[in-house]
Amino acid sequence: MTATSEPKIVTERLPSASARLSLVPTGSVPGLLDGAWWPRSRDLLREIPTLTDALDACWGRITHVTVNPAHWPVIPRKVPVTGHTVHVGWFADELDSNKVILFSYTVGRLDLLVIPPETEPAAAARLMAAAAVPGGSRTSSGLMADEAMSHDAAEARGREEEWETEGGAASAAGAAIGILSPP
């Protein structure tokens, strides 16, 4: 005799904070992105309900979400949210890995930059503002690359300033012309 059991589907939701979201102002010139979303984790079962709670009232009921699996370890097919179920799909090559697409029967489609949960708040704020520019022509990956380059440049400037304050360039220049006395 074989025993089978039905998997238990948990429909109760854990309490969560509000969605960290920025959207292009209503009625703005369309761009490549409609805003940005900064989830608190990489758990779609926990994050999608928070996102839909923020958007359903002002944008229309979200029915489908499409992600790239590069940054999401588990992609559920369906996610229970307030009053309905959201279907989740994924595309590996066709969808920018830093973007999520939301679909609503009433309004259409929203394309949002996904800011990784571990992003520092200052960088996330810059990315959220850049993604919510009306008529923006930057892609999700383009915005992330720009932020990475500015972060790398700031780190390089910081290392250079630290080197100079510890006697780097000035000491080396002084020693080259014989200004500094030997130790």
Side-chain angles (χ1 to χ4, degrees):
M1 179 163 135
T2 305
T4 60
S5 64
E6 291 292 318
K8 182 178 178 186
I9 298 174
V10 177
T11 56
E12 69 183 56
R13 294 183 29 210
L14 299 172
S16 61
S18 62
R20 298 183 293 187
L21 185 65
S22 70
L23 298 173
V24 174
T26 304
S28 298
V29 175
L32 293 179
L33 293 171
D34 299 302
W37 173 45
W38 185 21
R40 288 178 168 74
S41 73
R42 295 189 183 275
D43 180 357
L44 286 172
L45 280 171
R46 184 175 185 104
E47 297 297 333
I48 288 177
T50 303
L51 181 61
T52 60
D53 283 350
L55 291 172
D56 279 358
C58 66
W59 194 71
R61 178 180 272 192
I62 304 299
T63 58
H64 290 80
V65 174
T66 303
V67 298
N68 183 307
H71 300 297
W72 304 102
V74 176
I75 300 173
R77 292 179 52 168
K78 295 178 182 179
V79 177
V81 300
T82 305
H84 66 287
T85 299
V86 172
H87 298 272
V88 182
W90 60 271
F91 291 100
D93 297 328
E94 298 85 359
L95 182 61
D96 187 326
S97 64
N98 298 300
K99 183 165 84 170
V100 62
I101 301 173
L102 307 164
F103 296 95
S104 165
Y105 286 132
T106 55
V107 178
R109 170 180 166 162
L110 272 180
D111 290 43
L112 300 177
L113 164 68
V114 177
I115 301 169
E118 61 276 1
T119 304
E120 293 182 13
R126 287 189 298 272
L127 287 164
M128 291 182 91
V133 170
S137 60
R138 301 293 296 154
T139 64
S140 296
S141 287
L143 288 173
M144 294 300 289
D146 290 350
E147 181 60 34
M149 283 192 321
S150 70
H151 181 265
D152 292 346
E155 274 189 4
R157 281 191 305 275
R159 284 192 304 271
E160 185 175 324
E161 289 170 4
E162 180 181 344
W163 181 68
E164 288 178 1
T165 60
E166 291 178 354
S171 296
I177 57 174
I179 295 176
L180 297 177
S181 59

